[in-house]
Each structure stands twice: as structure tokens, then as C-alpha cells.
Amino acid sequence: MNEFQFGGGFIGIVIAAVLIIILLIVFLRFVPVGLWVTAYFSGVKVGIGTLVGMRLRRVNPHRIIRPLIKATKAGLTLSTNQLEAHFLAGGNVDRVIDALIASQRAEIDLEFEKAAAIDLAGRDVFEAVQVSVNPKVIETPKVAAVAKNGIEIIVKAKVTVRANIERLVGGAGEDTIIARVGEGIVTTVGSSEKHEAVLENPDSMSKTVLTKGLDSGTAFEILSIDIADVDVGRNIGAQLQTDQSEADKNIAQAKAEERRSMAIAQEQEMRAEVVQAESQVPLAIAEALRQGNLGVMDYYKLQNVDADTNMRKSISGQDQSDEEE
């Protein structure tokens, strides 16, 4: 009896221990005690209830607490509510904290709300801070422009820009800068009388482009525009004149062909009228014979004249064929 009681009590203890271990694992899984300990010894005051609340709100506490620890160590004063709100809005909390730390080290005035707005706008706020400290070089594609003398000039430029933090939200991006620089190059080359002037002084393009304030309304500030490469392309003016001459020739040929066709049609029409008139001659002769205006002998004379004419035509045609041979 004692042995049975002892065995039953041991099994109960084992089951209780297993349940306790399972509950402890579930608790530690749901409540990140290790993260709380790390935050506590890092100087971040956050309660267990706050971490549990994050779990209930389906927010990964590591995504909030680790950036908060990094910010606190860097001397930034932020709260878990700010980071959690930005996370729930779809922002990248870690990149925002990195941007705030970088701006603080570079002595750039950047508040959390501004950084969060830039991040939610779809821009990389950390990269923007880096570009504001270390200017970025944007290389434009080859831009083709034509001077007034018809010679094509192909230009490639390098634009040095610095990010403007205040205009990152709502400001235009790199594509706008490239398009405006290309437009300025085309305008400068197109206003030149000769392409040699552009080749002799390529700085005129960069100076003209800079004076137009191309960075207005963009998220960047243009520091310099350098002409990297200038090449001479095709003679567009000569090619256009050649194309125009070819078109004029085709038009003239078409008009000449139209006049020839009209002449042929008119000739055929006149031949038809002659044939029609000749068909009336026998009728007229018959009518004259019937009315007595033409005698039989006169009719024979006409026949002889006609036969003589045909003979002469045949002889003359044969002579011409002999000469051709």
C-alpha cells in the first residue's frame, strides 16, 4: 500500500513539474524577460506590462526595444509610444534611429517626427542624412543637342548634389534633377551659333544650367555641374536638307508622271474622236450619192485618192523600217 502511494505521488510530482516547465516556457515565450533585463541594464526604463501590451498589439518588442536602447546610448530621448506608433504606421524604426544618431553626430537639426515623416514618405531617411553630410554625384545619361549650324553635340554631365532635409517630404527626386540638367544642356547648345563655341567652352553649359535654379522644388541642393564628356555627333542640318531635297524630287517626279498620264489620256481621247469622225465619212458619202450631190465618178476618184494615200503610207512606213534596220 505504501509502495502504491509512493509511486502515485511521484507521478503526480513529475506531471506537475512538466506543467510548470510548459507554463514557464509559454510565459517566457510571451513575455520577453531577457529583453526586459537587457533594457534595464542599458538604462531603458520599460515595464513588463509594456512588453506584454506590445505582444497583445501584435508588435514585436525586439523591433521597438533594441532601437530604443541604441537611441538611449546615443543620448536621444525617445519613448516607446513614439517608436511603437511609427512601427504600427508601417515605418522602419531602426533606420529612423540610425538617421537621428547620424544627424546628431553631424550636428544636423532633425527631430523624430520629421525623420518619421520622411521614412513614411518612402524615402531612405538614413541615406538622406548621409547625402546631406557627404554630397552625392549623379551622372546624367548622354544628352544630344543640336547647335544652330546643324551639328549635333552629345554631352554627359556629373551633378554633385546634397540632400535638403527640409524638402525631403514632397520634394522631387533624382530623375527631376537629371531631366532639368538635360533640358539646360539642350537649351545652351541650341542657342549657340556654331558647335565649335560649345567645344571651346564647355563650362558655358554648366554655368547656364546653374543660373536657372534647377534644384527648386526638389529634395536636393545642386552644388556643381561638371561636363564629363563632349562628343560631336551627326550633321543634322545637312541630313535634313538631303531629306528635303529627296522629298522635293519625289514630288516633282509624281507631278511629271501625272502630267504625262494626262497627256496620254488626252491623246487617246483625240484619237477616239478622229475614229468617230472617220466613221461618219461613209455615211456622208452615201447620203451625197443618194441626193445626187456626188457622182459615181467622183466617188471612184475619192477611192483612188484613198488607195493612193494608203499606198504612200505603206511605202513610207517600209522605208522607215529599212532605215531603222
Side-chain angles (χ1 to χ4, degrees):
M1 186 69 180
N2 292 332
E3 292 179 358
F4 178 75
Q5 291 178 350
F6 177 77
F10 179 76
I11 294 175
I13 294 173
V14 171
I15 293 175
V18 171
L19 291 176
I20 293 172
I21 293 173
I22 292 174
L23 292 175
L24 183 61
I25 292 173
V26 172
F27 176 78
L28 294 177
R29 179 71 176 175
F30 191 77
V31 180
V33 178
L35 183 62
W36 175 82
V37 173
T38 302
Y40 178 81
F41 285 102
S42 299
V44 178
K45 296 180 180 180
V46 58
I48 294 292
T50 302
L51 299 178
V52 173
M54 290 181 186
R55 289 290 193 187
L56 294 176
R57 288 187 293 271
R58 294 185 179 181
V59 175
N60 189 348
H62 293 272
R63 297 287 186 89
I64 304 299
I65 301 303
R66 293 192 183 279
L68 184 59
I69 293 173
K70 184 164 50 176
T72 303
K73 288 298 182 182
L76 300 177
T77 303
L78 298 172
S79 65
T80 57
N81 290 331
Q82 289 176 301
L83 301 186
E84 189 175 353
H86 184 63
F87 179 82
L88 291 173
N92 191 328
V93 177
D94 199 54
R95 298 294 285 180
V96 171
I97 297 301
D98 290 341
L100 291 175
I101 295 173
S103 63
Q104 183 191 45
R105 297 291 186 269
E107 297 183 354
I108 298 175
D109 187 16
L110 180 62
E111 301 293 334
F112 174 80
E113 297 299 332
K114 185 69 174 180
I118 295 172
D119 182 60
L120 292 177
R123 298 187 183 274
D124 192 333
V125 60
F126 181 61
E127 182 183 358
V129 173
Q130 287 180 324
V131 174
S132 64
V133 176
N134 185 20
K136 179 181 180 180
V137 177
I138 302 174
E139 185 172 346
T140 66
K142 291 183 178 181
V143 180
V146 181
K148 289 184 178 180
N149 61 350
I151 303 300
E152 182 185 38
I153 299 295
I154 302 174
V155 182
K156 181 184 290 185
K158 291 185 178 181
V159 186
T160 304
V161 298
R162 179 171 56 198
N164 191 330
I165 302 296
E166 297 299 325
R167 294 202 301 244
L168 279 175
V169 178
E174 296 182 10
D175 294 338
T176 302
I177 295 290
I178 293 175
R180 290 181 179 180
V181 171
E183 179 185 359
I185 292 173
V186 171
T187 302
T188 305
V189 176
S191 61
S192 301
E193 294 294 335
K194 296 182 178 180
H195 70 284
E196 290 89 349
V198 179
L199 296 176
E200 292 174 359
N201 190 16
D203 291 341
S204 61
M205 289 184 285
S206 59
K207 292 178 181 178
T208 303
V209 173
L210 280 174
T211 56
K212 291 186 176 182
L214 302 181
D215 54 2
S216 61
T218 66
F220 299 96
E221 177 186 355
I222 297 179
L223 301 180
S224 66
I225 299 176
D226 303 311
I227 305 302
D229 188 20
V230 180
D231 295 325
V232 178
R234 300 168 296 169
N235 192 335
I236 302 297
Q239 182 177 353
L240 291 176
Q241 291 178 357
T242 302
D243 295 341
Q244 185 64 41
S245 300
E246 186 68 22
D248 293 341
K249 185 187 75 172
N250 294 334
I251 293 174
Q253 288 178 348
K255 290 183 177 179
E257 184 66 24
E258 181 181 359
R259 289 193 297 269
R260 190 178 72 86
S261 300
M262 292 179 63
I264 293 174
Q266 187 176 6
E267 180 184 1
Q268 292 177 351
E269 183 178 355
M270 293 177 65
R271 286 182 178 179
E273 292 178 356
V274 170
V275 172
Q276 184 178 4
E278 288 179 349
S279 65
Q280 299 295 325
V281 172
L283 297 177
I285 293 174
E287 183 65 23
L289 289 171
R290 192 166 34 249
Q291 293 180 1
N293 295 328
L294 182 67
V296 175
M297 297 303 297
D298 295 329
Y299 176 73
Y300 282 122
K301 288 181 180 180
L302 288 175
Q303 292 292 325
N304 292 331
V305 171
D306 186 43
D308 185 59
T309 302
N310 292 331
M311 181 183 67
R312 292 177 181 273
K313 286 183 179 180
S314 62
I315 293 173
S316 62
Q318 184 177 2
D319 292 340
Q320 290 180 357
S321 63
D322 293 338
E323 291 177 359
E324 291 177 358
E325 292 177 356

